[in-house]
């Protein structure tokens, strides 16, 4: 579990670096902290939606098995 968290944090960091490189090459300015925040918040929203969807599927299976 801890390794999964570290892998997720590393992926967020690498995506932020890529976004910052694209932004830097197009504008000439570096905004790493902003790209890191945007990537992190987007990842949290995506994980929240996935968690909610998986949770709803699990509830449906539990209700069917109890009948």
């Amino acid at each position: 579990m801890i390794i999964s968290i570290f892998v997720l944090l590393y992926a967020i960091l690498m995506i932020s670096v890529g976004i910052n490189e694209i932004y830097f090459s197009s504008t000439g300015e570096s905004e790493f902290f902003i790209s890191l925040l945007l990537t992190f918040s987007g990842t949290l929203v995506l994980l929240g939606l996935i968690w909610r969807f998986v949770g709803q599927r699990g509830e449906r299976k539990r209700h069917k098995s109890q009948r």
Side-chain angles (χ1 to χ4, degrees):
M1 182 67 180
I2 292 175
I3 293 174
S4 299
I5 293 171
F6 284 133
V7 168
L8 180 64
L9 290 174
Y10 182 73
I12 291 170
L13 179 68
M14 289 296 108
I15 291 170
S16 298
V17 168
I19 291 172
N20 190 45
E21 286 293 322
I22 294 169
Y23 184 79
F24 181 75
S25 66
S26 62
T27 63
E29 299 175 3
S30 179
E31 296 290 337
F32 179 73
F33 186 68
I34 299 298
S35 66
L36 182 64
L37 284 178
L38 288 173
T39 307
F40 185 70
S41 62
T43 303
L44 287 180
V45 168
L46 185 63
L47 287 175
L49 289 173
I50 292 171
W51 188 5
R52 182 176 178 187
F53 177 70
V54 169
Q56 287 178 349
R57 288 187 66 197
E59 284 182 14
R60 289 183 194 151
K61 287 182 181 179
R62 271 188 251 137
H63 289 304
K64 287 181 182 178
S65 65
Q66 290 177 354
R67 290 182 184 176

